Amino acid sequence: MKRACVIGWPVEHSRSPLIHRYWLGLYGVEGAYEKEAVSPEEIEAFLRSLGARGYAGANVTLPHKEAALAVADAADEAAKAIGAANTLWLDEEGRLHASNTDAYGFMTHLSEAAPDWNRGQRPVMVLGAGGAARAILHGLIAGGAGRILIANRSQHRAEALAKVFGPSVSVVPWADRSKDLAGCGLLINATSLGMAGKPPLDIDLALLPADAVVADIVYSPLETDLLAAAKARGNLTVDGLGMLLHQAVPGFERWFGVRPKVTPELRAHIVKSLVGA
Ligand SMILES: NC(=O)c1ccc[n+]([C@@H]2O[C@H](COP(=O)([O-])OP(=O)(O)OC[C@H]3O[C@@H](n4cnc5c(N)ncnc54)[C@H](OP(=O)(O)O)[C@@H]3O)[C@@H](O)[C@H]2O)c1
């Protein structure tokens, strides 16, 4: 029986077990998917003993994504570009491989929900400069985005990202995030603002074109205030749950040998666990 797990600190909130156990049941795979709470002091030793613990691989969540990349014996292009790994697997020689599937997850869902997101290559506004924003920048650039604007409360973090990703990315002051929506074709919230228990995202959509797409990677609640405001003025909206579901696909395929599908039934299964859904 193959086993995989999600490793985090804390890990209790992770929805990965719900997703992977749903697929294990659906595809009749003899396997298991566990939660492992591992502290920062223990993470390196834990990852080095993944095989000895009986695991074929793992998902890695906060705060271990950078450590996972550092410990891995090999990493794919996405993990290297993003500087963090969320999916690990062992090969037959016991070498630990690292990937980052967040960009894949975000872009797959965006392309399904808003196939014309890049029509006219209008600027994209990304709010946030944390780990998720970095994955999204990688995905947007690989997906053909033209100009990308990043606004972040701590401007130096946005500047650091712009330096990594090159001239197509420019920084706008956090205070200008509403004003600089004029002419944008896509707005993405990649901050934690608007998530249940966090402060609201304060932004005025008045200058955003009516045919722009608005995406939020926060998925709890599923319809954030940002998405509700965008919908009310006629913008096409993309929620954060699709990213979460699609990022899980490559790991399941690696560990259990079946490429799983993201279906309305899986979505409904996870939605039941979300606040305000
Ligand atoms: N849908 C998915 O599959 C998916 C995947 C990954 C993450 N997420 C969600 O995305 C969010 C960000 O994740 P992350 O890993 O990038 O976290 P992170 O690295 O901790 O970054 C958090 C971001 O939010 C900003 N922020 C936090 N509090 C703020 C405030 N009061 N005012 C203004 N900005 C604030 C931070 O700005 P500063 O730099 O100024 O602190 C930073 O840009 C989380 O809610 C996470 O749950 C969703």
Side-chain angles (χ1 to χ4, degrees):
M1 176 164 108
K2 293 237 168 111
R3 291 170 67 232
C5 62
V6 55
I7 305 166
W9 185 257
V11 78
E12 215 29 62
H13 64 283
S14 172
R15 294 199 165 69
S16 291
L18 277 179
I19 301 171
H20 289 285
R21 288 173 189 165
Y22 175 89
W23 282 331
L24 286 170
L26 183 70
Y27 296 107
V29 175
E30 252 200 73
Y33 189 96
E34 326 276 356
K35 280 183 189 176
E36 292 279 8
V38 180
S39 72
E41 295 72 39
E42 293 165 326
I43 187 65
E44 188 175 335
F46 188 94
L47 292 176
R48 291 197 193 284
S49 61
L50 205 57
R53 291 170 187 272
Y55 287 120
N59 283 126
V60 182
T61 187
L62 298 179
H64 299 319
K65 290 183 176 189
E66 284 86 5
L69 177 63
V71 170
D73 300 306
D76 69 5
E77 200 202 323
K80 285 183 199 157
I82 296 164
N86 71 343
T87 304
L88 301 173
W89 67 95
L90 287 158
D91 67 18
E92 279 157 13
E93 282 89 53
R95 280 161 49 87
L96 188 64
H97 292 256
S99 178
N100 190 312
T101 64
D102 278 338
Y104 164 83
F106 178 78
M107 294 306 294
T108 303
H109 182 52
L110 178 66
S111 304
E112 276 182 18
D116 289 337
W117 67 269
N118 200 22
R119 197 179 30 172
Q121 280 212 323
R122 289 179 293 176
V124 177
M125 172 73 80
V126 176
L127 304 176
R134 188 168 168 142
I136 285 170
L137 287 184
H138 174 70
L140 288 171
I141 292 168
R147 189 160 170 240
I148 302 173
L149 311 174
I150 331 180
N152 192 53
R153 174 182 63 177
S154 311
Q155 190 160 324
H156 66 95
R157 291 184 82 193
E159 278 157 5
L161 277 195
K163 217 168 171 185
V164 169
F165 286 100
S168 63
V169 179
S170 6
V171 176
V172 303
W174 181 242
D176 292 349
R177 61 193 179 282
S178 300
K179 174 171 86 57
D180 287 348
L181 290 176
C184 285
L186 172 61
L187 163 65
I188 303 164
N189 176 37
T191 71
S192 49
L193 296 173
M195 188 172 148
K198 302 275 178 181
L201 170 62
D202 179 14
I203 191 163
D204 181 353
L205 300 180
L207 295 179
L208 185 71
D211 62 346
V213 175
V214 178
D216 202 329
I217 69 162
V218 169
Y219 55 80
S220 181
L222 188 56
E223 183 172 84
T224 59
D225 288 349
L226 171 67
L227 294 184
K231 212 179 261 179
R233 64 192 293 284
N235 293 107
L236 179 60
T237 60
V238 178
D239 68 44
L241 182 56
M243 174 181 181
L244 180 75
L245 302 179
H246 282 285
Q247 65 75 32
V249 169
F252 189 92
E253 184 178 26
R254 285 276 179 201
W255 311 318
F256 302 117
V258 178
R259 186 146 185 105
K261 287 207 162 39
V262 172
T263 57
E265 292 74 25
L266 170 63
R267 252 185 91 86
H269 179 67
I270 306 304
V271 164
K272 280 189 265 164
S273 74
L274 300 179
V275 177

